[in-house]
Amino acid sequence: MGDPSKWVSNSIQQKLASLPAVSSNCCIYRVPENLRKVNEDAYRPLLVSIGPFYYNDPRLVGMQQQKLRYLQSFLGRSTSYNLDYYTQVIRGWENLARHCYVEAINLPSEHFIEMVLLDATFIIELFLRGCFHEFIDANDRVFNKPRMILEVTRDIRLEENQLPIFILKGLYDLVFEPSSQNKHLSFLDITYRFFMGKNEDIPSRIASADVRHMVDFLRICYLPSALRAELPTTNKKFEFTSSVTELSEAGVKFVAGRSQNLLDVRFMKGVLEIPRFVVTDDTESLFRNIMVFEQCHYYFDSYIIDYFAFLDSLINTPKDVTILVQSGVIENWLGNNEEVADLFSKLFKQTRLKGSNFYYSTICKDLNAYAGTPWNRWKAILKHDYFNHPWAAISVIYAIVMLILTVLQVVTGFK
């Protein structure tokens, strides 16, 4: 058999020689197993595969015909280029595209190019039809079936179900050539309108961002107005705040903030402003996937993770949710406040928080200081222990009146 050590050495040399290069372009990741186990369904596509991770999944092949129909529509949008030209363009992008995935993609080149072309044109057509309803024909099986468009939208927001955005933008720009002379919307324009449901110009901070893929785009849309570099560097250490119920009893008022940025939370003069948060069936899947991307790609700038860590410390019970619903902070489409409380508890489970750079550290510290001041603490004790029941409140008032009368009687006696 020969020298075993020589055999081991040769085996390792072969593996080293075939080891794929590590690229700085990597931005599409597998979901870590500890997070997947918490809720596997939140990360798996229901109807459509995008990219190589779910390529040829038997559960998803039914959408292949719709992809071909959308490709056919895309090809008809320009007389300047044909199918051969688009495939050659993608061939030129193939190496860079493969390096965007965290693991080596073993698909042969021709299969990879076909997959990218079908998936990219599917997304482009989806966004075009979402923005311009005149493009939707009577036989469109996505937009003419309300449940289909909801599930397809969910699927293209999954971290494992992505294409690099430079491919989508590149193909779109071939058909709708950007220039100062035309009024065509950019690819990021139609992406913003499709996801945000707003028929308005994309904010400049999003339009100028270095976007990697759809999940990255959504993360950028949700970022706070003031980023860490624009804030004071003190008080960055993480500390949990008291619950909504405890803060409310200490006199903190909760109001729905007016900011369009979900993460723009403010606390001033006893008032905690939190932009309105709509909780739907898709909330968990959407934010779980953004949080996975942050864990893998933006660990030191994890704004979304910090936001849900903050909410997780605020929300412990259905009563906490009830207070936030009544104040207009949470709009509950699940119908049950207990489900919402459970959602926030599970959403942060198994997620790693870099506490030394916590975005909401100052707000947490200020909230705890406000709730911990003697006057506010006594108000909380009185409210919790003596004013929870009308008879208890009457007893306290009676005791106070009797005390005042006794003092007056003593003072009068001295006179």
Side-chain angles (χ1 to χ4, degrees):
M1 182 176 177
D3 184 356
S5 62
K6 187 66 175 175
W7 183 92
V8 171
S9 178
N10 288 338
S11 174
I12 293 176
Q13 289 289 355
Q14 290 173 10
K15 290 174 181 177
L16 289 173
S18 62
L19 193 65
V22 177
S23 172
S24 60
N25 294 307
C26 177
C27 59
I28 301 171
Y29 302 91
R30 287 288 193 182
V31 176
E33 198 59 30
N34 64 321
L35 292 172
R36 189 186 299 278
K37 286 179 179 178
V38 178
N39 185 356
E40 185 171 358
D41 290 342
Y43 306 107
R44 292 179 60 87
L46 299 173
L47 280 181
V48 60
S49 69
I50 301 294
F53 289 165
Y54 289 94
Y55 178 72
N56 272 348
D57 186 318
R59 300 176 308 108
L60 308 173
V61 294
M63 285 297 290
Q64 290 304 109
Q65 286 188 1
Q66 191 61 43
K67 288 181 183 179
L68 287 167
R69 292 189 185 98
Y70 275 15
L71 171 61
Q72 194 172 46
S73 295
F74 180 82
L75 294 174
R77 297 200 183 280
S78 173
T79 57
S80 302
Y81 310 110
N82 58 21
L83 182 58
D84 288 341
Y85 181 81
Y86 290 124
T87 58
Q88 289 301 317
V89 167
I90 293 175
R91 184 180 296 277
W93 293 334
E94 180 183 359
N95 189 51
L96 180 56
R98 285 179 180 268
H99 284 162
C100 290
Y101 295 91
V102 71
E103 59 189 44
I105 307 303
N106 295 321
L107 284 175
S109 181
E110 57 271 22
H111 289 264
F112 186 86
I113 292 169
E114 180 182 356
M115 173 198 70
V116 168
L117 181 60
L118 281 172
D119 291 355
T121 54
F122 175 79
I123 291 175
I124 292 170
E125 285 293 320
L126 187 77
F127 288 0
L128 283 171
R129 293 164 196 236
C131 294
F132 307 103
H133 291 174
E134 60 269 25
F135 290 162
I136 302 173
D137 59 52
N139 298 319
D140 192 308
R141 293 188 179 178
V142 176
F143 283 93
N144 292 330
K145 306 287 183 183
R147 186 70 188 177
M148 292 274 282
I149 184 58
L150 290 175
E151 292 184 352
V152 168
T153 301
R154 171 201 174 276
D155 285 353
I156 62 175
R157 300 185 305 198
L158 305 179
E159 172 60 22
E160 294 183 335
N161 216 31
Q162 296 298 314
L163 287 179
I165 204 166
F166 78 85
I167 290 176
L168 299 164
K169 186 177 182 300
L171 288 175
Y172 180 88
D173 288 347
L174 285 175
V175 175
F176 303 99
E177 297 179 15
S179 74
S180 58
Q181 263 83 65
N182 66 35
K183 296 182 179 179
H184 286 308
L185 295 175
S186 72
F187 180 72
L188 288 186
D189 283 322
I190 65 169
T191 303
Y192 179 77
R193 294 188 181 198
F194 180 85
F195 281 130
M196 297 295 119
K198 298 177 180 179
N199 189 25
E200 59 186 41
D201 292 339
I202 185 173
S204 57
R205 68 181 182 87
I206 302 174
S208 61
D210 180 20
V211 182
R212 306 299 185 93
H213 48 68
M214 295 294 108
V215 179
D216 190 23
F217 179 84
L218 289 165
R219 175 184 177 272
I220 292 167
C221 288
Y222 288 120
L223 289 180
S225 301
L227 302 182
R228 283 185 176 89
E230 302 161 23
L231 298 175
T233 57
T234 57
N235 299 328
K236 284 193 170 184
K237 189 174 181 180
F238 174 72
E239 60 177 275
F240 284 103
T241 184
S242 302
S243 70
V244 168
T245 300
E246 292 166 332
L247 293 172
S248 179
E249 290 174 348
V252 174
K253 294 182 179 179
F254 296 86
V255 301
R258 298 180 179 179
S259 174
Q260 297 299 306
N261 296 78
L262 182 66
L263 274 60
D264 283 356
V265 179
R266 297 197 322 160
F267 179 63
M268 291 182 64
K269 298 180 180 179
V271 178
L272 183 61
E273 291 187 11
I274 306 175
R276 187 171 64 99
F277 189 102
V278 181
V279 180
T280 70
D281 289 335
D282 288 334
T283 296
E284 184 174 357
S285 177
L286 167 63
F287 288 107
R288 274 192 179 280
N289 281 273
I290 298 176
M291 289 164 73
V292 163
F293 179 57
E294 280 199 336
Q295 289 269 273
C296 298
H297 201 82
Y298 288 112
Y299 182 61
F300 296 100
D301 263 328
S302 53
Y303 293 96
I304 309 298
I305 290 173
D306 287 5
Y307 174 76
F308 283 101
F310 174 66
L311 289 185
D312 184 50
S313 67
L314 283 175
I315 299 171
N316 297 321
T317 66
K319 185 178 179 181
D320 296 324
V321 177
T322 300
I323 293 170
L324 293 179
V325 169
Q326 291 173 345
S327 62
V329 171
I330 288 181
E331 186 174 327
N332 181 10
W333 288 20
L334 299 182
N336 186 319
N337 288 347
E338 190 170 348
E339 286 185 57
V340 176
D342 186 52
L343 182 149
F344 283 107
S345 174
K346 290 193 304 182
L347 199 57
F348 194 64
K349 193 174 182 180
Q350 292 293 329
T351 301
R352 294 176 182 174
L353 179 72
K354 190 180 183 302
S356 61
N357 199 28
F358 183 57
Y359 185 73
Y360 297 99
S361 59
T362 300
I363 289 178
C364 285
K365 184 177 180 180
D366 291 346
L367 282 168
N368 289 337
Y370 184 90
T373 55
W375 170 239
N376 290 319
R377 189 167 63 248
W378 275 108
K379 281 198 302 183
I381 292 171
L382 285 171
K383 183 175 181 181
H384 186 269
D385 294 342
Y386 297 102
F387 290 95
N388 261 343
H389 193 281
W391 288 111
I394 291 170
S395 299
V396 172
I397 294 169
Y398 175 78
I400 293 171
V401 170
M402 292 303 295
L403 178 62
I404 293 171
L405 290 175
T406 301
V407 171
L408 289 174
Q409 189 176 21
V410 170
V411 171
T412 305
F414 276 120
K415 289 182 179 180

